[in-house]
């Protein structure tokens, strides 16, 4: 199994698994669990002060009940209260002893048995929230077998009532209350989580799942127009995402279609290239023989025939070069740019009758870090386009200046090369589709492959190419090529050799 097949198999497994996720691992399952958890946390945060307040109210109610009973007991005016009456009052109030304090004096109103020690003293007037919460949890955790002393004022009479009791009834009441609150909280949390889940699922999860399913389906058949998502009529972020996804899918389909056409074109050209090359080679040999003929009529047509054959050969080679899998990586070296420009000038072989002036203004000592062969192709493509544009300009007269100028400079470690001509400029369609094969041609019948190849080679060097002007006042391209990074050891070696 090849690496590509292995990646494709793994990708299909991931897609298949993504469509069959367990419920708890789905986004909707996670949302349900989180909503339930946060609801319970909210109820717990509410439960803490509620249980503390319930304890205070329970003690206050018990103290008020004892205070009401103490009125009857205190009415005896010093007479001894029968023990049976005391026991009945203590049993009814659930206390062990009742004490009434008035004007600094304490009076024991009823007692069944006096405990040997009191474990905790509680002032009912102290309502600090932190203390109340701490004491409530202390009762829940450590209570049940302790004796507590509870005291507080009796209305506005100035009297203070005290009682001794076990905290077991208080703890049992708190546990029952906590259980009821927990059940109600759980019920409310489940209902709330369900409502939130259904709402968010309808508003968010289902549209996201729809987009996810669409992307998986589109990945299996990106060339099928029926797999493009149909955006919903909504104005929120998901609506924007759906419309953007549909736009990207349309663009991807167009790109894939163009790539397929290019691939088909490359295959077709490759098949006919061998026969075409033989035919053109034979035609070129015949044209060479015709060039030696003294017949004036033939002599007039031979140059046109040669140019036509040269154009056909160049077109075929250009299509094949662009249809190749990839350009070879640049083999960069320090070269003299003026020499490369001179070679391009010789290759162009400008006829003096054309009236085109070629200016090589690159300094003789200007060096650039490039692949010499690839950079020759870059300059020659741009210069050939300029020459062809100025030659084909039928609106120009004898007074019109036709000039192609090559300049060069450097900013820091970046070399800047300018290719300027005084031709008719680029048409609007060429400017809009610049560097796009089969769309960015500046002349009728052109392919636009030259600029596409130039763009690819410049980017391979880590550089940029921009159209500075081309709206009718000539065409000006600017190429920026950064020097290749040099290691410290190599820089020191160059410095030592120079010194």
């Amino acid at each position: 199994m090849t690496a590509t097949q292995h990646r494709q198999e793994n990708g299909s497994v991931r897609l298949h698994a993504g469509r069959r996720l367990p419920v708890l691992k789905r986004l909707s399952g996670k949302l349900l669990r989180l909503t339930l958890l946060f609801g319970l946390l909210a109820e717990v945060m509410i439960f803490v002060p509620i249980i503390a307040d319930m304890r205070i109210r329970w003690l206050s109610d018990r103290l008020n009940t004892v205070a009401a009973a103490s009125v009857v007991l205190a009415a005896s005016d010093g007479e001894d209260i029968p023990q049976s009456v005391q026991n009945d009052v203590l049993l009814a109030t659930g206390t062990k002893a009742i004490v009434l304090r008035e004007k600094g004096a304490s009076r024991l109103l009823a007692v069944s048995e006096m405990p040997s020690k009191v474990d905790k003293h509680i002032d009912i007037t102290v309502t600090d929230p932190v203390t109340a919460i701490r004491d409530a949890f202390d009762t829940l955790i450590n209570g049940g077998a302790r004796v507590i002393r509870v005291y507080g004022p009796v209305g506005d009479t100035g009297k203070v009532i005290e009682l001794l009791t076990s905290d077991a009834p208080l703890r049992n009441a708190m546990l029952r209350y906590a259980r009821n609150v927990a059940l109600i909280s759980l019920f409310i949390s489940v209902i709330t989580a369900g409502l939130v889940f259904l709402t968010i699922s309808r508003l968010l999860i289902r549209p996201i799942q729809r987009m996810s399913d669409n992307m998986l389906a589109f990945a299996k058949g990106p060339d099928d127009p029926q797999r493009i998502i149909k955006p919903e009529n909504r104005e929120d972020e998901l609506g924007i995402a759906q419309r953007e996804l549909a736009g990207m899918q349309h663009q991807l389909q167009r790109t894939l279609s163009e790539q397929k056409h290019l691939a088909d074109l490359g295959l077709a050209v490759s098949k006919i290239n061998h026969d075409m090359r033989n035919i053109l080679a034979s035609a070129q040999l015949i044209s060479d023989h015709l060039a030696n003929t003294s017949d004036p009529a033939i002599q007039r047509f031979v140059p046109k025939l040669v140019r036509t054959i040269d154009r056909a050969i160049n077109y075929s080679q250009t299509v094949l070069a662009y249809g190749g899998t990839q350009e070879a990586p640049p083999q960069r070296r320090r070269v003299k740019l003026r020499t490369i420009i001179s070679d391009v000038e010789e290759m162009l072989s400008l006829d003096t009758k054309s009236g085109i002036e070629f200016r090589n203004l690159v300094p003789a000592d200007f060096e650039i870090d490039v692949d010499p062969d690839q950079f020759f192709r870059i300059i020659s493509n741009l210069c050939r386009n300029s020459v062809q544009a100025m030659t084909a300009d039928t609106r120009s007269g004898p007074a019109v200046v036709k000039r192609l100028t090559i300049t060069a400079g450097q900013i820091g470690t970046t070399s800047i090369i300018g290719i300027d001509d005084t031709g008719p400029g680029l048409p609007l369609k060429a400017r809009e589709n610049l560097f796009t094969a089969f769309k960015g041609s500046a002349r009728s019948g052109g392919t636009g492959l030259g600029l596409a190849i130039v763009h690819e080679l410049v980017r391979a060097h880590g550089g940029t190419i921009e159209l500075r002007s081309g709206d009718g006042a000539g065409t000006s391209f600017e190429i920026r090529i950064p020097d290749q990074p040099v290691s410290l050891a190599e820089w020191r070696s160059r410095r030592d050799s120079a010194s």
Side-chain angles (χ1 to χ4, degrees):
M1 180 183 295
T2 64
T4 302
Q5 292 173 335
H6 183 69
R7 287 194 298 270
Q8 292 175 347
E9 183 177 352
N10 286 344
S12 62
V13 171
R14 286 196 297 270
L15 292 176
H16 183 72
R19 296 178 63 88
R20 297 179 179 272
L21 284 174
V23 175
L24 294 180
K25 289 187 177 182
R26 294 178 185 173
L27 189 59
S28 56
K30 293 179 181 178
L31 175 63
L32 180 60
R33 295 202 306 273
L34 288 176
T35 305
L36 185 61
L37 175 62
F38 291 152
L40 289 175
L41 287 177
E43 295 294 340
V44 168
M45 295 177 67
I46 297 174
F47 168 77
V48 171
I50 286 180
I51 195 66
D53 181 69
M54 178 267 171
R55 174 179 172 273
I56 296 295
R57 285 187 287 105
W58 190 92
L59 291 174
S60 297
D61 292 343
R62 183 60 56 91
L63 200 62
N64 290 333
T65 302
V66 171
S70 68
V71 174
V72 178
L73 297 176
S76 61
D77 256 347
E79 297 181 3
D80 291 336
I81 303 173
Q83 187 62 43
S84 60
V85 176
Q86 295 183 28
N87 291 338
D88 290 342
V89 172
L90 294 174
L91 181 62
T93 57
T95 57
K96 296 179 180 296
I98 300 175
V99 177
L100 180 65
R101 288 190 295 171
E102 183 179 9
K103 297 179 181 179
S106 298
R107 180 183 175 188
L108 184 62
L109 298 180
V111 62
S112 59
E113 57 175 328
M114 188 60 69
S116 59
K117 68 171 185 176
V118 177
D119 298 298
K120 193 173 185 62
H121 301 271
I122 301 173
D123 184 358
I124 203 68
T125 61
V126 178
T127 57
D128 176 55
V130 177
T131 304
I133 292 174
R134 182 190 63 198
D135 291 344
F137 280 95
D138 178 64
T139 302
L140 285 172
I141 297 172
N142 302 318
R146 299 185 299 185
V147 176
I148 59 176
R149 170 176 171 259
V150 184
Y151 58 94
V154 181
D156 297 329
T157 62
K159 300 177 182 180
V160 176
I161 191 72
E162 299 181 10
L163 63 87
L164 296 179
T165 184
S166 171
D167 67 348
L170 172 61
R171 182 172 182 271
N172 292 334
M174 293 176 66
L175 288 174
R176 287 194 301 272
Y177 185 80
R179 180 195 62 194
N180 294 335
V181 170
L183 291 176
I184 294 174
S185 299
L186 181 61
F187 176 76
I188 293 175
S189 297
V190 170
I191 296 299
T192 304
L195 293 175
V196 172
F197 170 76
L198 291 176
T199 302
I200 296 181
S201 177
R202 183 174 181 84
L203 293 177
L204 297 178
I205 303 301
R206 288 184 181 178
I208 292 176
Q209 287 178 340
R210 178 170 173 263
M211 292 176 64
S212 176
D213 293 341
N214 173 264
M215 287 187 285
L216 294 175
F218 185 80
K220 293 181 178 180
D223 56 343
D224 185 1
Q226 299 300 323
R227 296 177 185 261
I228 296 178
I229 190 171
K230 296 178 175 56
E232 297 176 316
N233 186 22
R234 49 192 302 168
E235 300 300 328
D236 55 9
E237 290 83 352
L238 283 175
I240 296 174
Q242 290 178 357
R243 288 190 289 272
E244 291 296 324
L245 176 60
M248 287 190 293
Q249 289 175 339
H250 278 293
Q251 181 62 35
L252 179 58
Q253 281 196 349
R254 287 194 295 268
T255 303
L256 291 176
S257 177
E258 292 175 358
Q259 293 295 329
K260 185 177 183 299
H261 291 163
L262 287 176
D264 293 341
L265 174 63
L267 179 61
V269 172
S270 298
K271 289 179 178 180
I272 67 173
N273 180 63
H274 180 71
D275 293 337
M276 176 67 74
R277 185 174 51 194
N278 291 337
I279 294 172
L280 292 175
S282 301
Q284 196 169 30
L285 288 175
I286 295 173
S287 65
D288 291 340
H289 288 297
L290 290 175
N292 297 325
T293 304
S294 58
D295 189 337
I298 296 178
Q299 288 294 328
R300 284 198 311 271
F301 290 106
V302 164
K304 295 181 180 180
L305 177 61
V306 171
R307 284 196 297 270
T308 302
I309 294 175
D310 288 341
R311 282 197 297 268
I313 294 174
N314 180 66
Y315 178 81
S316 179
Q317 291 175 343
T318 304
V319 172
L320 286 175
Y322 186 79
T325 56
Q326 189 177 5
E327 292 285 351
Q331 303 297 320
R332 302 180 67 156
R333 299 180 60 185
R334 299 294 298 183
V335 297
K336 291 186 176 182
L337 180 59
R338 185 177 180 86
T339 303
I340 294 179
I341 304 303
S342 298
D343 293 341
V344 171
E345 183 180 6
E346 293 180 2
M347 183 271 298
L348 292 174
S349 300
L350 294 176
D351 189 355
T352 55
K353 296 180 180 179
S354 65
I356 299 176
E357 178 186 2
F358 189 98
R359 285 189 176 183
N360 184 357
L361 301 183
V362 178
D365 58 348
F366 187 87
E367 296 181 358
I368 186 171
D369 185 12
V370 294
D371 183 313
D373 293 333
Q374 291 188 359
F375 206 72
F376 176 86
R377 292 170 59 191
I378 293 173
I379 301 298
S380 62
N381 271 300
L382 293 174
C383 291
R384 185 185 298 109
N385 287 348
S386 295
V387 170
Q388 289 174 348
M390 289 187 287
T391 302
D393 186 12
T394 57
R395 298 173 300 172
S396 61
V400 174
V401 176
K402 297 181 179 180
R403 181 186 301 120
L404 174 59
T405 306
I406 313 296
T407 58
Q410 196 164 27
I411 299 178
T413 59
T414 300
S415 300
I416 303 175
I417 300 93
I419 297 93
D420 308 295
D421 66 50
T422 58
L426 294 176
L428 179 61
K429 181 180 178 181
R431 295 198 301 270
E432 292 176 347
N433 299 280
L434 202 62
F435 310 126
T436 303
F438 303 105
K439 292 183 179 180
S441 176
R443 57 190 174 85
S444 177
T447 63
L449 290 175
L451 288 178
I453 293 173
V454 166
H455 186 248
E456 181 180 351
L457 294 177
V458 170
R459 290 187 61 184
H461 282 78
T464 60
I465 177 170
E466 295 182 7
L467 176 66
R468 290 302 184 184
S469 67
D471 55 357
T475 304
S476 176
F477 283 98
E478 181 181 276
I479 301 174
R480 291 176 177 257
I481 302 291
D483 288 348
Q484 190 175 15
V486 180
S487 65
L488 182 60
E490 185 177 353
W491 178 82
R492 288 175 176 173
S493 175
R494 291 181 180 178
R495 181 194 60 183
D496 296 339
S497 62
S499 60

